[in-house]
């Protein structure tokens, strides 16, 4: 089955600095890759996805992610962090060739300090 | 608003009891997924239904069961509850076929507290 690893439980950045939240995946078929954000006591909100095509995908709120097939990674990035970006971020993968369920990483808590 | 509705939003019950969580997917979505999020934990995939039939099963305990009805809403039944079952339970839905853009759409969750 597919799996996702988010190696950092916590990422701290200063406002205005670039941020990166790391994700690596394992899947036997073709991966669909996703990033979701969760604010306190809320459901998960979709940020962006990679299905095919350009390795750099852009999403909501100025976030982008880079798909790297050789490194099986899909890191989330933003050029300039905002305090309001502080939240829990989840990377997820779907193996669209073999099954349809989505598996999530453990999540990374991003804190942006003023 | 994702279009996925979950009820109840909050539920407090005692150990040994049974509860039912309900989910209405987005209009037209045939697939429903259930996830469990314990305190400071990631999302654990429980089970997926597609058009009334079980499609995939994850880390779902035998004390838990789910079903999807003809009108496509789904229910997650949790029985013989234990303290460790306290968690946020999320439902998500997705389109199928040509309308499937890959992402899941999540409800706001049902927070279960077992005392």
């Amino acid at each position: 089955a597919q799996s996702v690893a988010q190696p950092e439980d916590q990422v701290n950045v200063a406002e205005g600095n670039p941020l990166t939240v790391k994700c690596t995946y394992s899947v036997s078929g073709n991966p669909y890759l996703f990033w979701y954000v969760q604010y306190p006591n809320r459901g998960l909100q979709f940020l962006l996805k990679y299905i095919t095509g350009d390795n750099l995908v852009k999403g909501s709120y100025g976030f982008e992610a880079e798909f790297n097939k050789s490194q099986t990674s899909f890191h989330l990035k933003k050029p300039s962090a905002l305090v309001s970006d502080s939240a829990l971020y989840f990377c997820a993968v779907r193996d669209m060739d073999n099954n349809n369920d989505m598996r999530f990483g453990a999540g990374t808590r991003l804190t942006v300090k003023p | 608003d994702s279009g996925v509705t979950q009820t109840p939003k909050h539920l407090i019950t005692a150990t040994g009891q049974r509860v039912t969580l309900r989910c209405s997917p987005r209009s037209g979505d045939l697939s429903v997924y259930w996830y469990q999020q314990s305190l400071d934990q990631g999302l654990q995939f429980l089970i997926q239904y597609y058009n009334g039939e079980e499609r995939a099963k994850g880390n779902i305990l035998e004390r838990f069961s789910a079903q999807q009805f003809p009108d496509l809403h789904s229910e997650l039944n949790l029985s013989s509850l234990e303290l460790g079952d306290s968690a946020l339970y999320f439902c998500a839905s997705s389109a199928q076929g040509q309308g499937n853009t890959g992402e899941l759409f999540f409800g706001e969750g049902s927070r279960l507290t077992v005392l």
Side-chain angles (χ1 to χ4, degrees):
Chain A
Q2 65 272 38
S3 65
V4 174
Q6 292 181 243
E8 301 155 318
D9 292 335
Q10 176 96 24
V11 170
N12 298 313
V13 299
E15 187 175 31
N17 282 0
L19 70 87
T20 299
V21 182
K22 295 179 181 177
C23 170
T24 59
Y25 66 90
S26 173
V27 66
S28 54
N30 283 319
Y32 279 25
L33 294 158
F34 306 84
W35 278 100
Y36 284 81
V37 60
Q38 185 182 27
Y39 296 100
N41 299 312
R42 300 297 302 276
L44 275 72
Q45 297 178 31
F46 168 74
L47 275 180
L48 52 78
K49 66 184 176 187
Y50 171 83
I51 295 177
T52 187
D54 195 350
N55 289 344
L56 185 65
V57 294
K58 295 186 184 296
S60 307
Y61 312 121
F63 284 94
E64 56 190 29
E66 186 165 14
F67 171 66
N68 187 316
K69 188 173 183 177
S70 62
Q71 296 185 2
T72 61
S73 67
F74 189 57
H75 301 331
L76 180 70
K77 300 181 180 185
K78 187 172 182 181
S80 178
L82 300 172
V83 172
S84 57
D85 292 330
S86 298
L88 191 54
Y89 290 81
F90 290 99
C91 182
V93 62
R94 290 180 85 178
D95 182 347
M96 300 305 285
D97 290 338
N98 294 302
N99 59 56
N100 269 324
D101 62 282
M102 184 178 286
R103 301 298 172 111
F104 286 81
T108 298
R109 187 165 299 282
L110 172 67
T111 302
V112 182
K113 298 185 178 178
Chain B
D1 183 6
S2 68
V4 178
T5 304
Q6 290 187 248
T7 57
K9 287 188 173 14
H10 301 276
L11 190 56
I12 301 174
T13 189
T15 54
Q17 296 298 303
R18 171 190 171 95
V19 299
T20 297
L21 309 181
R22 181 188 170 101
C23 170
S24 294
R26 288 189 322 158
S27 177
D29 284 357
L30 300 180
S31 282
V32 169
Y33 308 74
W34 285 97
Y35 290 85
Q36 179 193 55
Q37 184 181 32
S38 301
L39 188 64
D40 292 330
Q41 297 290 315
L43 282 92
Q44 298 296 315
F45 169 66
L46 295 178
I47 199 164
Q48 177 202 355
Y49 279 84
Y50 171 71
N51 203 19
E53 295 195 1
E54 183 182 305
R55 172 66 68 91
K57 202 175 239 188
N59 302 321
I60 189 167
L61 300 172
E62 285 192 12
R63 300 183 285 108
F64 296 180
S65 65
Q67 55 184 325
Q68 186 180 26
F69 295 87
D71 66 352
L72 300 177
H73 92 271
S74 178
E75 292 181 358
L76 179 67
N77 300 296
L78 315 174
S79 61
S80 302
L81 284 168
E82 302 174 359
L83 296 177
D85 298 328
S86 296
L88 258 175
Y89 291 85
F90 286 107
C91 170
S93 72
S94 72
Q96 298 300 134
Q98 296 261 346
N100 186 357
T101 53
E103 64 265 38
L104 304 188
F105 297 87
F106 281 79
E108 292 291 298
S110 293
R111 181 174 293 280
L112 172 66
T113 302
V114 182
L115 300 176

